[in-house]
Amino acid sequence: MTTAVIRHDFNTLPVLSSDTLDRYMAHLSQIPILSADEEHALAIRLHEQNDLAAAQKLILSHLRFVAHIARGYKGYGLPMADLIQEGNIGLMKAVKRFDHKIGVRLVSFAVHWIRAEIHEYIIRNWRIVKVATTKAQRKLFFKLRSAKKQLAWLNQDEVETVARELGVDVASVIEMESRMSGKDIGFDLHDDADEETSFAPVQYLEAPNADPARLLERDDWQDTHADKLSDALIKLDDRSRAILERRWLADKKATLHQLADEYGVSAERIRQLENNAIKKLRTAISA
């Protein structure tokens, strides 16, 4: 049994929106809470008989618990309906993995899965530019969010306390706080913005060929190397120059064996002459 199967069968779980959230919360209050014996019996039916109806009852009876946890994250400015739905996914995963033989209630086991899904959702959506990508950064992110009771920056003592508690260096705490304090900026101008008085990051990007000095330097470099290459070719002996031209510059390139037959030498000798000529050209160009 997979989480996807569970989600597919639970048509009673609505897709939440701000319009349906109040009705959803009212509906949760009407779902009875399971006793320990009822929960244990349902868990046995699920994992020994693959009874999806039992899984549905386990999940429905704990939806209000998910909503309670999700309310604790409303300070991130994300839609409450989305937070609840992500928490519901964590609950489904917990039900799938819940072992009734351990002797603990489902709610004690599920809380970690619910919070993990909500945390992942917040990390993905709180900022367009991700502020935390590693496990250590995520712990630091949520620690700082709970530590900052106001918009002011943490003082040195508070920074050192957070660093000590999480086992990270002070610089990591300061960097994360800086990321969290930044604001997202639109890459392009708004549709109604005045292009003459408004600016967006896209307008500060350098065009690939914008610097005349670099263009001149590049052209001069190409011309110089072309001149050196031409001079070096002229200085080669006639046979070496002919071999290079036939092997590299001709439209229909000659093989080593073709040139060997023409000059009455072995193919290995042609290869040696070719390599020696190339070395001379490289030396001339790098001089």
Side-chain angles (χ1 to χ4, degrees):
M1 180 189 64
T2 64
T3 303
V5 173
I6 292 178
R7 293 178 64 184
H8 176 72
D9 281 63
F10 287 170
N11 296 321
T12 55
L13 294 182
V15 177
L16 297 180
S17 66
S18 58
D19 297 332
T20 61
L21 184 57
D22 291 339
R23 284 179 291 171
Y24 175 79
M25 300 299 293
H27 177 68
L28 293 186
S29 63
Q30 300 174 11
I31 301 175
I33 298 176
L34 298 174
S35 66
D37 291 339
E38 291 173 328
E39 181 182 291
H40 185 73
L42 289 171
I44 293 176
R45 284 170 49 191
L46 171 61
H47 292 282
E48 293 186 1
Q49 303 174 24
N50 197 27
D51 189 341
L52 291 182
Q56 185 180 42
K57 290 182 179 179
L58 286 171
I59 291 177
L60 290 176
S61 66
H62 287 81
L63 290 179
R64 69 178 68 187
F65 178 66
V66 174
H68 174 74
I69 294 178
R71 288 195 192 99
Y73 296 91
K74 61 183 180 181
Y76 291 91
L78 297 171
M80 181 56 59
D82 291 346
L83 293 172
I84 292 175
Q85 289 195 142
E86 293 298 322
N88 287 344
I89 294 174
L91 174 61
M92 294 177 191
K93 291 182 178 180
V95 169
K96 177 178 180 286
R97 294 166 173 80
F98 180 58
D99 187 353
H100 60 278
K101 299 176 184 178
I102 301 299
V104 299
R105 295 296 299 270
L106 174 59
V107 67
S108 300
F109 175 76
V111 62
H112 305 290
W113 288 92
I114 295 168
R115 291 188 183 278
E117 288 296 322
I118 294 176
H119 286 184
E120 287 294 326
Y121 172 75
I122 292 173
I123 291 297
R124 292 195 308 268
N125 297 278
W126 190 60
R127 288 277 306 281
I128 294 176
V129 179
K130 304 302 183 291
V131 296
T133 55
T134 66
K135 184 177 181 180
Q137 287 177 336
R138 291 170 184 170
K139 290 175 62 178
L140 183 55
F141 170 82
F142 285 104
K143 179 66 177 179
L144 287 179
R145 281 289 296 177
S146 62
K148 290 171 72 68
K149 303 301 182 183
Q150 54 186 2
L151 295 179
W153 289 69
L154 298 179
N155 59 39
Q156 185 63 27
D157 291 339
E158 292 170 331
V159 170
E160 293 177 354
T161 299
V162 172
R164 184 169 57 253
E165 290 179 356
L166 295 182
V168 299
D169 54 54
V170 172
S172 297
V173 178
I174 295 175
E175 180 185 3
M176 178 59 69
E177 186 180 22
S178 177
R179 293 185 187 182
M180 293 171 60
S181 300
K183 295 182 179 180
D184 293 325
I185 301 175
F187 185 70
D188 295 301
L189 285 175
H190 296 293
D191 293 337
D192 57 350
D194 183 359
E195 295 186 0
E196 294 185 359
T197 59
S198 302
F199 298 92
V202 66
Q203 295 171 288
Y204 293 96
L205 294 180
E206 181 182 8
N209 299 318
D211 191 341
R214 292 183 180 178
L215 290 175
L216 180 61
E217 180 182 4
R218 185 185 63 187
D219 292 342
D220 182 66
W221 183 89
Q222 293 174 343
D223 292 341
T224 299
H225 281 69
D227 292 340
K228 288 184 177 181
L229 178 61
S230 178
D231 292 340
L233 281 171
I234 294 174
K235 293 178 181 179
L236 291 176
D237 61 87
D238 293 341
R239 184 172 61 173
S240 296
R241 183 169 59 256
I243 290 174
L244 283 184
E245 290 175 349
R246 297 278 302 281
R247 289 277 294 156
W248 294 94
L249 303 180
D251 292 334
K252 186 177 181 181
K253 297 178 175 56
T255 66
L256 293 175
H257 291 285
Q258 288 175 336
L259 293 174
D261 291 341
E262 291 183 19
Y263 288 101
V265 295
S266 66
E268 175 61 22
R269 179 55 181 163
I270 295 296
R271 187 188 65 79
Q272 292 175 354
L273 292 171
E274 178 186 23
N275 288 340
N276 290 335
I278 291 175
K279 288 180 181 179
K280 292 178 180 179
L281 293 183
R282 288 175 176 172
T283 301
I285 291 176
S286 60

